[in-house]
Amino acid sequence: MNHPEDTTGKRPVPGAVLLVHTPAKLNLGLRILGRRPDGYHDLETVMVSIGLYDSLLFRLAESSEVGLSCRFIGPSARSAAAATLLSGSPTRNLVVQAARLLQRRTGCGLGVDITLCKRIPLQSGLGGGSSDAAATLVALNRLWRLRLSRSELHALAAELGSDVNFFVDSPLAALCRGRGERVEPLRMGHRLHAVVVCPNSGLSTAAVFAEWSRTVAAAEGPEASLHQLSRALLEGGRLAGGRRKTVNDLEAPARRLSGDVDAILSQLGRTGGGAFGMSGSGAACFLLCRTAPEAKRLAARLRRMLRGSVFAVSSRT
Ligand code: C5P
């Protein structure tokens, strides 16, 4: 996450506020290495942090309550999942869960009112919920003066979800292993530019993994090429041998579950530009471009052909 703007003094004072902008991610590649006894899957994935942000305003509350209000703007406003989240119980939101987890584990009696301004589309595989949860852990650690170490924050992050650890430090790029919670930062030799296409209806991560399990007889062995492939993308934005398709083992199940994902990937294959694929468990797909203007131009073209949110984005610097 970005450095929060801390306006607090030495001790938490009612009304003290913190504003945090927390990024989305793209998975340049994702391999499933096998099922685990705990019901999760071991995986290997390369994530890149991108310049699309949710904003969270944390205001210290008078009581020990955790309050949350959400606004949906930009690319997230179209998603059908946004309407569901607005009408759903806030306790299911990962932001509230992160705040309550901190209270429980530290015995902190302070509360907070959180305003979440969502730009990152929901159920898109762009990591918005995980990023918001990580931002909440890091921000409340400061606002509530909890003094938890980075490794203590990472332990809590892993309890909240598989992608939350990536966003605790939000490296520019990282190779993530285990459930996704073991994060090894990678060097990024080249700024990436992309068009992201996000259908209006998202995909549930659990449903996509379940579909993968249903249809894959035996887990494939680890493939060394994910690292090579991602290296090529991180260094030059292109794959070797004129190949354009990235590797994502969740793509086939996602295409079966969503006609929109299938149509988008087919269209991206027929469009110019560089490598393309799906991010995480979907439903957002991306097309890498050589430059930011090329990404803007192709986004405008794809917007006329596809439904959903279509936008140009660059990796962070
Ligand atoms: O960890 P997170 O809550 O984001 O995962 C959502 C769901 O996705 C899990 O309940 C699980 O069904 C599936 N999942 C998985 N293996 C992973 C990550 C997620 O099976 N490594």
Side-chain angles (χ1 to χ4, degrees):
M1 63 178 245
N2 277 8
H3 292 296
E5 292 160 24
D6 191 349
T7 58
T8 61
K10 282 263 179 265
R11 282 157 176 235
V13 282
V17 293
L18 261 174
L19 175 64
V20 176
H21 305 291
T22 194
K25 54 87 175 164
L26 283 179
N27 298 76
L28 296 184
L30 188 152
R31 296 286 312 186
I32 300 180
L33 307 182
R35 296 192 190 98
R36 300 160 41 126
D38 62 6
Y40 283 81
H41 295 80
D42 271 317
L43 49 85
E44 199 172 60
T45 181
V46 171
M47 297 206 214
V48 173
S49 183
I50 56 172
L52 171 69
Y53 299 88
D54 281 349
S55 301
L56 296 103
L57 183 71
F58 299 87
R59 184 180 298 277
L60 201 63
E62 306 272 339
S63 71
S64 60
E65 293 293 304
V66 175
L68 174 69
S69 61
C70 293
R71 288 202 300 134
F72 295 88
I73 55 173
S76 88
R78 284 166 174 270
S79 83
T84 319
L85 189 98
L86 267 181
S87 58
S89 157
T91 51
R92 286 181 49 218
N93 191 294
L94 221 45
V95 166
V96 176
Q97 288 178 25
R100 296 212 170 132
L101 182 64
L102 271 178
Q103 284 178 325
R104 274 202 310 280
R105 291 303 160 78
T106 62
C108 171
L110 296 169
V112 65
D113 285 318
I114 306 169
T115 305
L116 168 59
C117 215
K118 277 211 82 67
R119 292 180 196 84
I120 306 170
L122 283 87
Q123 296 197 317
S124 61
L126 299 176
S130 304
S131 190
D132 298 340
T136 302
L137 290 178
V138 176
L140 291 183
N141 189 37
R142 287 181 72 167
L143 194 65
W144 289 345
R145 305 275 163 196
L146 300 174
R147 299 183 192 282
L148 294 183
S149 68
R150 223 65 194 164
S151 68
E152 286 170 320
L153 288 175
H154 272 287
L156 296 178
E159 288 186 42
L160 288 165
S162 308
D163 287 347
V164 180
N165 292 82
F166 174 80
F167 294 103
V168 170
D169 301 308
S170 287
L172 297 185
L175 176 64
C176 303
R177 299 181 206 263
R179 274 194 298 135
E181 86 287 9
R182 281 165 32 211
V183 182
E184 294 166 33
L186 291 175
R187 205 184 71 80
M188 182 129 181
H190 178 87
R191 191 167 190 207
L192 292 180
H193 307 285
V195 182
V196 175
V197 183
C198 201
N200 291 336
S201 46
L203 279 171
S204 137
T205 303
V208 178
F209 272 101
E211 176 68 9
W212 181 87
S213 294
R214 198 179 67 75
T215 49
V216 176
E220 312 260 319
E223 179 161 306
S225 74
L226 175 73
H227 205 208
Q228 280 168 355
L229 177 147
S230 303
R231 199 57 292 147
L233 292 178
L234 293 174
E235 293 298 333
R238 299 252 144 192
L239 296 174
R243 191 181 149 183
R244 293 189 58 214
K245 194 70 211 54
T246 60
V247 174
N248 183 339
D249 287 341
L250 292 174
E251 199 177 288
R255 287 181 96 140
R256 281 194 295 277
L257 292 175
S258 163
D260 286 342
V261 170
D262 190 49
I264 290 167
L265 286 167
S266 301
Q267 182 58 56
L268 295 183
R270 291 192 293 268
T271 307
F276 68 98
M278 187 183 79
S279 183
S281 57
C285 300
F286 62 89
L287 170 66
L288 296 183
C289 300
R290 219 183 286 268
T291 62
E294 184 189 29
K296 279 205 177 117
R297 193 167 48 74
L298 288 179
R301 199 201 299 171
L302 286 164
R303 211 169 279 133
R304 289 195 290 274
M305 292 186 241
L306 295 166
R307 278 175 302 145
S309 292
V310 183
F311 54 94
V313 75
S314 298
S315 58
R316 291 167 60 225
T317 47

